[in-house]
Structure formats: structure tokens, C-alpha cells
Amino acid sequence: MNFVWAESKRGQKNVTLAFSYKKAEKEDILRLAAGDFYRVFLNGEFISFGPSRTAAGYCRLREIKIEQDGVIVVEVAGYDTACYSNDKYPPFFAAELYRGGKLVASSSDFSCAYLNDRAQKVDRYSYQRNYIEVYKKSGERDELYKGNCLYPIEKTEKVDFSVSLLGSGEDTASYKPYDFAFISEKLSELSELTPSKLWWSDCADQGKAEGFLSKEYEFDFASFIKGKSAVRKTYMLNAAHTGFIKASFTAEKDGFAILVFDEYVPSESNPEISFQRTQCNDYIVVELKKGKRNFLSFEPYELKYLCVYLSDGVTVSALELIALENGEISAKFTSSDKELNAIFEAAVNTFGQNALDIFMDCPGRERAGWLCDSFFTARAEAVLCGKSDIEKRFLENYLVGSWREIPEKMLPMCFPSELYEKVFIPNWAMWFVAELEDFSVRTGDFDLTEALKKKVYAVFEYFKNFENEYGLLEDLESWIFVEWSVANDASHVCGVNIPSNMMYAKALDCAARLYNDESLALKASKVREAIVELGFDGKVFRDNLVRKNGKLVLTDNYSETCQYYAIFCGMSQGEEFEKFLLEKYGDEDAANLPEASNMLTGHCLRLMWLLERGYRKQFITEAKRVFLDMAQRTGTLWENDKPTASCNHGFTSVFVAFAAEGLLGYKGYDVRAKKLIFSNEYYRGIDCTLKLFVNGKSLAIEIKNGERTINNGTDYQSETL
């Protein structure tokens, strides 16, 4: 394929180009690669968004079947900026059009235009993503989509870097439209949108090439809204969804529209959006000249609530959200418990928005592929999609990727990305190894796990530099992350952090099994012994040890989550230890304790533990306490147990795997034995049904009047443990 870009825009940030081809025919196949991000139109109708993200120097082809004769337009945003949502590389476009299996057009046959109606020098949308969308009066795109380009034609040139292809595939996203319900209308002073000082506004990298544009913006939002008023129309979706905001504006005279959005509001009865609640610039500005303008946001955004501010003489119609969600979810769950149904539906909704090309933490603020989160989301994919295709791409990106901004042998905490602040989470490299073992069991794909062996062993080589006389990791570098609770206070993670060392032992054990390496298993055993000897006070594990006069001393620091790490990593201290945890943290008051857990990872590890020990009724009670309010408020599950951050976080979709096992006893598919695995125990107190596909074959599990029925035809063997 020929990879090209506009000659005059090479080296510029936040450039949007359009590549168009007028003579497409029904049944043609478009093979496409472009980046940073692109959207595809056929005769003015939006049909695809990409790419399937991967490491710099690589790309995954998209294959799109052309359904009718007409004009193909591919709009490409070349951000060329370090961020969390994609790896940094010079922008490019490459396409081939096939008819009857024969190549009829390639990149050089597409006309190229610079879309000058999108402001280039603007602020970032968030610390983790690229740039906000601001559209100027000049230029209309409707004619472009018809093949009549109103913009200067740009000369393209071949890009000066190599790109390797990683196979091809169809677009598996769903582009379902969601309607907005109108809530209210009133005249508002735009001063209510006065930007606050974002936490990253003083970032040392803000004015540097690897960070933000300079502060000499082409568009300054604070100046734009100063002294202005507008009609504010407020709308709401049935739940939080992610997608492209679509609208049609009619202006009697020159004016503007400002779209402000959020996933959460403090009061459902009075849904006032708290501007920049998530420390993002959650707005789009569309300047309008007299007449009609159809609008579709370039980037996907996550929202439940939308405020449209319209200047005098401007009206809005045809308002929709075109969803960007996973189109391969096949599992269906129903039960006699409406609250469980609501949580399961919220988990599915959360997964659908966070599992497309890769696993993401959240579909709005970051759209980043974080480790640890992915360990849990992957378990949801196996249930909801009956396969692990997204996980394979996610892990494969770590295989082909390279990173210069963190220490050699360490893995980035999220990828594809370029972390210009040079921060990494050493714990997340341990979770990577744990997920890799999970993946091998789920899929039997030993080729990928073997290919990643060098990177796994490199991680352990990195950690050797931090082992003390007991074989425990001490004074780890960068961002040590346990979870969003007291467990992550600086006083808890310094010195020898016990949860981090527990995960170290877990990772060593996982790698020992993956690569049949007895030396790693022996090392894991010694780490566990040292943790129990030095970190257990006879009742609970303390969070860390610190040096005093050269000797390691156990601190008084204590967190609930540390105890679940102990169980998850094979260091449970027996019946009394677990009885203490079951009773102390099993009611509503537990959330108010100073040592209480939060969502990632404490609540997840506790729920896993309850299921492993057969406490199914307790699991249901606690799952409702953790998740029900979230499901009812946003129709998604959250990053924290309070709405202080993302209210749509991919890892929480693991609830569907918990429910499958906890309610119906379904433990998954053993690909090596080619058997469905069920627990002998299941919950008899609720009638429920789970219908799903596993490796393309149907499976139905039903609990009715306390009896379980498994209908898998003759396609599968099954085994009850």
C-alpha cells in the first residue's frame, strides 16, 4: 500500500484532511489504513470510524464493503501529539479499492483536501486525549460528501517512515442511533461555562512539542463566551453512551452553537451539568453562518446529558448520538431479580463502550488501554462475545510495541500511547503476566504467549534491581498503584509495599506455569514466605515495611484491599483470617471505615473471593450494594464507588463473568480439553437464564425452581467440578 500525507501539512499538529474518491461501485471493497483517527462516509452517510489502534510503525487494515455506487470520503485527523489514547507517529493515509478481486484505485487516486473549517490551534480535550473540536464559519462539508470539494486541493507525498501491516478485518463496531429526550429550555449567561483551572494546566510539558500546543491559541474559549448569552436546551439519553453527536443547525443569521456534555449529574430532578466535572473540556463549538449546517462530531464522546447553547436565531433539530459500541456482544441474561438485571445490563453497556479495537479504561476522558483493568475486562469478553479477539489484539500490541520514555525492560502502564511524562506503574507489569496466563488458558494461543516470553522475562530482570535481602521488592520507582483508597497513600506504598510484593509472587507463579520454569516457582514461594513472615501481624497483613536504622520494620498501615491481594495471590492465612474479613467488611457500614476498599481492585477481588468460597448469597447482596446505584444513575458501572471520576469504566464489566459463575455455575470453556466447565454449585434462590455463544456455538443455561438445565445440544462436552 502507498502511505501518503499532504505535503504542506507535514510536521503540523491537529490537522484534518479529507481523501475522496468519486467512482466507487456497489460491492467494491475498500481496504483502509490511516491515522491518528479517521471516519468514513459513503454519499454523505457516516459508515465507519477507525483505526484499530496499535503500535507506532504498524497498522491494522480495515476492510469495508461498499453498499452502493457513489462517493467515498475519508476524513483523517493527524494529531501527531503524545497522549494516552494512541501511540505517537506522523499521520498517514493509505487505501486500496478492489472490484471483483482486482485493484481499481489506490491512495494516489484519492483527492486530498485540507479541512480548514476545524480550528487547528486549540486546547486539549483532556490530559490523556487529543484536541477539542471547534468549527469555524468558513467551509461546508455537505458538498464535499457529494464529491464537490470546496477546499484547496493538497499535493500528497509518500510518508517518510515504514509501516508494517498486522492483517485486516471488518469493522465490528455498532453505530446504533440513540435519541435524546428533551428536558428543559431557558436563557443562560455563558459565564456559567467559564473554564476552571484544569489540574494539568501547569504541566511542565504544556508548551513542549511532546505535550500541548503553545498557549497562543487560534481559539480561546474563555474569550469567546465572555459577555454572551444563549438559549440552553437540555437533553438526556436513556443511559450513558459513547458515540458521535449528530445535529442539524439552522441559523437565521451568523451565530453559534456550543455542545456541553457529561455522563453524570448530581440531581436527576434538576440535571445541571457541572462543567469540567471530569477535568476534561467537555464541549464542542460550532460557529455558524446564515443557513443550514449538518454536524457530526469527529471524535466519540461519552455522555448521558447534553446541553446545547444556541445564539439568537439558531435552532437545532435531528439531534442524535451515533453510538460507537461493540457489535459482537451475543450473551443475553434474564432473571426474576430486576435489580440484578439492571446491574448486568449496565455491565454489558459498560463493556460495549470500552471493548472495541482494544480494551479501554473509559470511553470518554482517556480511551486508553490500561493494564490491570484489562485483566478483568478480558473475563467479560469471554462471556459476552464467546471469544478473546480483542484481548489478543490488546496483548499483541505489547508484543510489537516499543517505548523510549520508560526504563528499558519495563512495560508501559497503558498502550498504545506515548507517555511524555515518563510515568509507569510497575505493578501493572505484574498484572500483565497474570493476564497472559489467563489468556493462554482461555484461548490455547501459546504462539502469542511464547512470542511474549522475552518481554515477560525482561520485566523480571528489571525487578531484580529492587530485591532486598529477603527477596522482596523495595523502593520501587515511579507510580506504585494498588487502588484508589488509603492503600495508595504515600505512607502505605513506600519501602516494601506488601500488595505489590504479593502481585510479584503471583506474576512469578504465572510465568512459571506459562514457561515451565521451576526456578520462577521457587522464587515465588520464597517471596510468599517472606511476606507472611515479615508482613503478617498475626491477624492481618500490614501494607508495608520501612527501614529504621537499617532494619525493616512493620508499619501500622493497614488496608482492607491488602487482605484481598493476599487471598488472590495465594497467601490466605486460613479460616479465621477469612472469617474476619467476611464479617467485618460484609455490611454497608464497611464502606465508611478508613481502611475500606474501592473499586479497582478491592471490590473486584472481594467479589471473586466470595464466589471462590461459595458465598453466593453474600455475593449478590454485596454486588447490589456496590453496583446498583451506578446502574440506576447512569446505566454503566464506575471507576470509583462514588461519582468522582469516570462513571463508565471497562474493568467493572467483569460483573458479567462473576454473575455467570455465581448464579449459574458457569466457569468458562477449557479450550485445551474442549469442554465447558461448570461448578457443581449454583444459586438456587433466583430463576435466571444465560444465553451465549462460545466459539460460535450456542449455549443456554437456566435455573428454574432451584434446578439447573444446560442446553448445549451435541456440540460440546461439559464437565462439572
Side-chain angles (χ1 to χ4, degrees):
M1 300 185 80
N2 295 321
F3 293 80
V4 301
W5 196 246
E7 187 177 35
S8 65
K9 301 301 177 184
R10 176 63 60 197
Q12 295 186 27
K13 298 180 182 297
N14 197 26
V15 171
T16 307
L17 302 181
F19 296 86
S20 57
Y21 185 79
K22 292 185 179 182
K23 300 177 182 179
E25 295 183 8
K26 187 177 181 181
E27 305 299 327
D28 283 356
I29 299 294
L30 175 66
R31 300 178 76 225
L32 176 64
D36 294 313
F37 294 95
Y38 62 78
R39 58 182 187 176
V40 185
F41 293 83
L42 178 60
N43 295 330
E45 292 296 319
F46 169 74
I47 60 172
S48 189
F49 178 81
S52 295
R53 289 167 289 173
T54 187
Y58 295 84
C59 69
R60 301 182 188 275
L61 288 179
R62 174 73 50 82
E63 289 194 354
I64 301 172
K65 185 177 180 180
I66 303 303
E67 300 292 347
Q68 54 184 289
D69 298 354
V71 180
I72 298 171
V73 175
V74 184
E75 296 179 357
V76 186
Y79 297 126
D80 199 15
T81 298
C83 66
Y84 285 26
S85 63
N86 57 278
D87 209 0
K88 184 176 181 291
Y89 46 79
F92 63 87
F93 169 80
E96 293 177 340
L97 195 67
Y98 287 85
R99 187 171 302 145
K102 295 183 179 181
L103 179 66
V104 295
S106 60
S107 308
S108 58
D109 297 306
F110 283 71
S111 299
C112 175
Y114 170 51
L115 299 184
N116 60 5
D117 64 339
R118 181 173 175 179
Q120 183 179 359
K121 294 184 178 181
V122 294
D123 202 354
R124 292 286 285 266
Y125 169 71
S126 69
Y127 185 73
Q128 300 88 347
R129 284 179 70 178
N130 288 292
Y131 299 98
I132 62 171
E133 295 183 49
V134 176
Y135 294 90
K136 299 179 287 186
K137 294 178 185 178
S138 59
E140 296 293 347
R141 300 198 183 193
D142 290 348
E143 288 298 313
L144 172 68
Y145 300 143
K146 297 175 185 176
N148 302 319
C149 183
L150 302 182
Y151 307 95
I153 301 298
E154 295 282 341
K155 180 181 177 182
T156 60
E157 62 176 355
K158 186 177 179 180
V159 297
D160 55 358
F161 64 96
S162 61
V163 180
S164 300
L165 302 180
L166 291 176
S168 61
E170 297 179 355
D171 186 355
T172 57
S174 164
Y175 297 107
K176 176 183 175 181
Y178 287 97
D179 292 327
F180 285 94
F182 175 77
I183 297 176
S184 63
E185 176 180 331
K186 70 176 185 179
L187 185 66
S188 297
E189 298 296 323
L190 293 186
S191 57
E192 69 186 32
L193 299 178
T194 300
S196 60
K197 188 174 183 179
L198 296 166
W199 70 269
W200 39 262
S201 60
D202 292 326
C203 172
D205 292 298
Q206 185 167 4
K208 297 180 181 178
E210 296 302 327
F212 297 70
L213 291 173
S214 72
K215 294 184 179 181
E216 297 177 1
Y217 295 128
E218 175 182 345
F219 176 88
D220 181 72
F221 186 61
S223 299
F224 180 79
I225 64 174
K226 187 175 182 180
K228 294 180 181 177
S229 61
V231 172
R232 187 186 74 188
K233 293 177 177 285
T234 303
Y235 301 86
M236 180 176 71
L237 296 168
N238 66 326
H241 293 286
T242 301
F244 309 92
I245 302 172
K246 183 179 181 180
S248 180
F249 299 108
T250 302
E252 296 177 356
K253 57 184 178 180
D254 289 0
F256 63 84
I258 303 173
L259 311 175
V260 181
F261 45 89
D262 199 355
E263 59 195 347
Y264 174 87
V265 294
S267 172
E268 289 281 343
S269 59
N270 183 27
E272 293 281 338
I273 291 178
S274 177
F275 188 50
Q276 295 179 327
R277 178 190 66 86
T278 60
Q279 288 290 298
C280 301
N281 285 316
D282 286 315
Y283 65 87
I284 299 171
V285 176
V286 185
E287 294 189 86
L288 301 164
K289 62 182 180 181
K290 183 178 179 180
K292 185 175 182 179
R293 180 166 185 167
N294 295 318
F295 174 78
L296 183 72
S297 69
F298 185 94
E299 288 272 356
Y301 300 101
E302 194 243 334
L303 64 149
K304 182 178 179 182
Y305 303 92
L306 173 67
C307 287
V308 183
Y309 293 81
L310 302 169
S311 64
D312 183 42
V314 176
T315 58
V316 63
S317 61
L319 193 60
E320 290 180 325
L321 186 81
I322 308 301
L324 178 62
E325 298 173 352
N326 186 301
E328 296 190 310
I329 297 172
S330 57
K332 304 290 183 184
F333 174 83
T334 56
S335 82
S336 56
D337 188 318
K338 292 182 179 179
E339 293 179 338
L340 280 179
N341 291 343
I343 297 172
F344 196 97
E345 183 178 348
V348 173
N349 189 25
T350 300
F351 175 85
Q353 297 172 64
N354 284 288
L356 290 127
D357 54 333
I358 60 171
F359 294 138
M360 295 182 288
D361 62 334
C362 56
R365 181 187 69 210
E366 298 187 21
R367 299 189 66 78
W370 286 81
L371 291 172
C372 184
D373 300 56
S374 61
F375 174 90
F376 297 98
T377 313
R379 294 189 171 191
E381 183 190 13
V383 173
L384 292 177
C385 301
K387 52 187 179 179
S388 298
D389 291 355
I390 305 170
E391 183 179 27
K392 182 173 183 176
R393 291 194 296 269
F394 180 87
L395 295 172
E396 189 178 43
N397 286 342
Y398 277 87
L399 173 64
V400 300
S402 60
W403 26 86
R404 64 181 183 274
E405 65 272 20
I406 62 174
E408 185 182 4
K409 300 180 181 179
M410 180 44 59
L411 298 175
M413 57 194 182
C414 62
F415 192 75
S417 64
E418 178 149 334
L419 308 176
Y420 47 84
E421 72 276 60
K422 298 177 172 56
V423 172
F424 62 95
I425 301 177
N427 315 58
W428 272 201
M430 304 171 196
W431 279 97
F432 174 85
V433 182
E435 181 180 348
L436 195 57
E437 185 189 30
D438 254 24
F439 172 78
S440 72
V441 172
R442 269 192 292 271
T443 66
D445 188 343
F446 300 111
D447 289 342
L448 180 56
T449 54
E450 186 63 27
L452 281 161
K453 182 177 180 178
K454 288 184 179 179
K455 292 201 173 183
V456 169
Y457 276 77
V459 165
F460 293 134
E461 284 293 323
Y462 168 84
F463 283 130
K464 278 184 181 178
N465 298 319
F466 298 89
E467 292 175 355
N468 62 18
E469 67 269 31
Y470 301 99
L472 298 178
L473 302 178
E474 185 173 356
D475 294 333
L476 284 170
E477 292 179 311
S478 203
W479 184 14
I480 303 169
F481 190 90
V482 178
E483 74 159 17
W484 294 120
S485 72
V486 68
N488 234 72
D489 285 0
S491 60
H492 286 239
V493 298
C494 63
V496 176
N497 178 248
I498 295 299
S500 298
N501 276 279
M502 290 171 171
M503 272 305 300
Y504 186 41
K506 173 82 171 179
L508 287 165
D509 266 335
C510 291
R513 290 187 291 267
L514 271 173
Y515 302 116
N516 194 27
D517 188 334
E518 187 61 32
S519 67
L520 294 182
L522 180 62
K523 188 171 187 175
S525 178
K526 290 181 178 179
V527 171
R528 285 196 301 271
E529 289 173 4
I531 290 171
V532 174
E533 179 183 351
L534 300 174
F536 189 66
D537 69 1
K539 186 176 182 180
V540 296
F541 286 93
R542 295 292 174 177
D543 278 27
N544 62 332
L545 301 104
V546 296
R547 294 276 173 183
K548 289 188 177 179
N549 299 320
K551 294 184 178 181
L552 278 180
V553 178
L554 189 62
T555 71
D556 293 331
N557 296 326
Y558 163 66
S559 69
E560 179 189 358
T561 295
C562 182
Q563 317 315 309
Y564 305 139
Y565 268 94
I567 295 170
F568 177 66
C569 299
M571 280 161 270
S572 175
Q573 295 304 294
E575 188 175 323
E576 286 300 313
F577 172 71
E578 295 196 15
K579 182 181 177 182
F580 164 74
L581 298 178
L582 183 67
E583 294 176 352
K584 182 167 184 178
Y585 300 108
D587 58 29
E588 293 183 7
D589 293 336
N592 298 318
L593 295 172
E595 74 271 18
S597 289
N598 207 325
M599 290 296 299
L600 185 71
T601 57
H603 289 336
C604 288
L605 294 182
R606 180 177 173 90
L607 292 174
M608 287 172 63
W609 165 60
L610 291 176
L611 292 176
E612 288 168 1
R613 299 300 187 266
Y615 298 122
R616 286 174 168 77
K617 187 174 181 179
Q618 183 74 13
F619 161 77
I620 293 170
T621 299
E622 294 194 22
K624 287 183 178 180
R625 185 163 64 244
V626 171
F627 293 124
L628 183 58
D629 183 60
M630 303 177 189
Q632 292 173 337
R633 294 297 299 272
T634 62
T636 50
L637 304 180
W638 305 350
E639 177 180 10
N640 293 327
D641 51 15
K642 295 180 176 60
T644 53
S646 160
C647 294
N648 187 341
H649 232 67
F651 77 89
T652 57
S653 62
V654 73
F655 175 81
V656 303
F658 292 166
E661 180 177 350
L663 299 176
L664 299 119
Y666 174 62
K667 297 177 73 69
Y669 181 66
D670 186 331
V671 70
R672 284 172 282 193
K674 297 183 178 179
K675 290 181 179 180
L676 297 164
I677 306 300
F678 295 91
S679 170
N680 189 48
E681 295 297 323
Y682 53 89
Y683 189 65
R684 293 169 169 81
I686 296 171
D687 287 348
C688 56
T689 302
L690 178 64
K691 296 180 179 180
L692 62 161
F693 284 84
V694 182
N695 293 339
K697 300 174 183 178
S698 63
L699 170 67
I701 314 166
E702 183 178 25
I703 310 293
K704 191 169 184 179
N705 298 324
E707 297 296 323
R708 180 173 66 185
T709 302
I710 301 170
N711 179 10
N712 60 323
T714 59
D715 290 329
Y716 289 117
Q717 290 181 304
S718 62
E719 182 175 330
T720 301
L721 301 179

